[in-house]
Amino acid sequence: MVVKEFRICMPLTVEEYRIGQLYMISKHSHEQSDRGEGVEVVQNEPYEDPTHGKGQYTEKRVYLNSKLPSWARAVVPRIFYVTEKAWNYYPYTITEYTCSFLPKFFIHIETKYEDNNGSNDNIFDSEAKDIERDVCFIDIAYDEIPERYYKDSEDLRYFKSEKTQRGMLKEGWREHQKPIMCSYKLVTVKFEVWGLQTRVEQFVHKVIRDVLMIGHRQAFAWVDEWYDMTMNEVREFERATQEATNKKIGIIPPAITISNIVMPSLIRSGPSSAPTTPLASEAPEFLAIPKDRPRKKSAPETLTLPDPREKRSSAAAMIPDINASGEPSEPKHN
């Protein structure tokens, strides 16, 4: 098990990011989805917890086979997804990732948001005071980003918001930027399979770091798109985008309702997460009806058997039958 604490600062307030986070997650999921792969939203509804109060519960399926490294694709099914369950009691959230194909694989993320530059070293004392972990700061403007995810429009060194007049972020911006907030994320990755544990846990933490970097960059780079939205408006955007994303990856969209009805506080888990196959217009190759193929000509088209009533040929008559005892038996006549 590997535990890391990521700290990601942004030139926003915690209250502003409440809208920006929802907008970014919906838009990012839609952009990263394609036919057969992406993020399917299974459930998204209000939820109330006796400890944390009112929040939002979501369950998603993340289809990502092509994004796995080659050594992982060799051991997982072609149709592979990770189940994400999240309880959002902003400014505190819990997110869990599991995979039915890999029962010993588990990711647990606890997130807290504060209006500071990542200076709170005791923010997780009540959750993980005695747990040894690495603290990793992520600079959304100057840390290296995978080349395939880089976009000029999202380069925060050169981006300036028209609506907020924030940006362009200069080196060392976290020391003097006002306003500023920090996402504190306590990430636990567990994969208890001998021979693969270290490799998988290290790979997953690298992926999580890249996802956090990209998501937080985009939240600020898109600030002019969401800055004037109300909570009701961003929830409607979320609902419409989720339906479009489900269609985009080739899955019949579920009935997603976002209402003001409070869910029972004692029910925490979402619906059953048994593996399913994304629906498509054509059957998978392994289920398709075999195509007509020309018959081989190595054997005659018809085979004529001798009439058993005819007498045996003289040559056949010379060969005695052998019975179960191994002794020759008398020829049988009809």
Side-chain angles (χ1 to χ4, degrees), residues 40-329:
E40 174 200 4
V41 181
V42 178
Q43 193 172 350
N44 185 356
E45 59 193 19
Y47 177 81
E48 186 169 354
D49 183 86
T51 302
H52 304 295
K54 294 181 179 180
Q56 193 83 4
Y57 170 78
T58 59
E59 180 177 347
K60 302 175 183 178
R61 289 173 182 167
V62 186
Y63 299 87
L64 39 57
N65 188 277
S66 70
K67 295 178 174 59
L68 298 174
S70 57
W71 58 265
R73 289 198 299 270
V75 297
V76 303
R78 182 180 176 186
I79 300 173
F80 169 76
Y81 68 81
V82 172
T83 297
E84 175 195 285
K85 295 183 179 181
W87 295 264
N88 188 345
Y89 312 105
Y90 198 87
Y92 173 66
T93 65
I94 302 170
T95 309
E96 295 178 351
Y97 296 89
T98 56
C99 176
S100 58
F101 175 71
L102 302 169
K104 295 187 177 182
F105 171 74
F106 178 74
I107 301 174
H108 181 85
I109 303 176
E110 294 188 51
T111 305
K112 293 185 178 182
Y113 304 98
E114 288 189 347
D115 286 314
N116 57 49
N117 65 350
S119 57
N120 188 348
D121 293 329
N122 305 310
I123 192 167
F124 290 113
D125 274 3
S126 60
E127 293 83 9
K129 183 176 182 179
D130 299 323
I131 296 179
E132 182 178 349
R133 59 187 183 272
D134 294 331
V135 175
C136 306
F137 283 87
I138 297 178
D139 189 327
I140 58 175
Y142 287 89
D143 279 1
E144 185 177 351
I145 185 173
E147 184 177 354
R148 65 184 180 278
Y149 296 124
Y150 177 83
K151 294 181 181 179
D152 289 338
S153 61
E154 297 171 5
D155 192 329
L156 304 185
R157 296 172 299 176
Y158 311 111
F159 167 79
K160 184 170 183 177
S161 165
E162 294 181 2
K163 292 185 178 180
T164 67
Q165 292 299 303
R166 301 172 200 166
M168 304 170 280
L169 300 181
K170 304 301 181 182
E171 194 129 21
W173 64 274
R174 290 178 297 177
E175 302 303 321
H176 54 76
Q177 172 66 38
K178 299 293 181 183
I180 192 169
M181 61 155 289
C182 184
S183 299
Y184 294 84
K185 293 184 176 286
L186 186 67
V187 182
T188 302
V189 177
K190 184 188 299 184
F191 185 68
E192 296 178 341
V193 175
W194 185 87
L196 290 175
Q197 180 171 2
T198 300
R199 175 185 286 187
V200 170
E201 290 178 351
Q202 290 177 347
F203 169 76
V204 171
H205 268 293
K206 180 182 182 302
V207 171
I208 290 173
R209 185 191 179 283
D210 289 345
V211 169
L212 294 177
M213 158 80 86
I214 296 163
H216 286 75
R217 280 169 65 100
Q218 291 176 333
F220 182 58
W222 298 339
V223 63
D224 289 342
E225 300 176 26
W226 59 259
Y227 191 73
D228 294 328
M229 281 185 169
T230 65
M231 179 57 71
N232 288 337
E233 288 172 338
V234 78
R235 286 297 185 191
E236 176 57 27
F237 172 82
E238 185 181 43
R239 182 198 62 78
T241 306
Q242 288 168 358
E243 290 185 358
T245 302
N246 286 355
K247 291 178 181 178
K248 187 178 180 182
I249 63 177
I251 297 173
I252 297 176
I256 300 173
T257 58
I258 301 177
S259 64
N260 294 323
I261 300 174
V262 178
M263 299 297 291
S265 60
L266 296 180
I267 300 175
R268 173 164 175 161
S269 62
S272 173
S273 300
T276 60
T277 302
L279 299 179
S281 58
E282 297 179 0
E285 184 178 350
F286 65 87
L287 292 179
I289 299 174
K291 298 180 180 179
D292 293 334
R293 297 176 181 174
R295 296 179 62 181
K296 294 182 179 180
K297 300 298 183 181
S298 57
E301 291 293 328
T302 60
L303 181 63
T304 304
L305 298 176
D307 189 340
R309 292 172 297 179
E310 295 181 1
K311 294 182 179 180
R312 297 181 180 180
S313 65
S314 57
M318 297 175 63
I319 303 175
D321 290 338
I322 306 295
N323 60 23
S325 65
E327 295 295 327
S329 60

Side-chain angles (χ1 to χ4, degrees), residues 5-23:
E5 181 184 322
F6 293 99
R7 301 182 186 180
I8 313 104
C9 292
M10 302 186 69
L12 301 168
T13 67
V14 170
E15 190 59 31
E16 288 171 341
Y17 186 58
R18 184 173 193 173
I19 301 291
Q21 177 197 45
L22 297 174
Y23 183 91

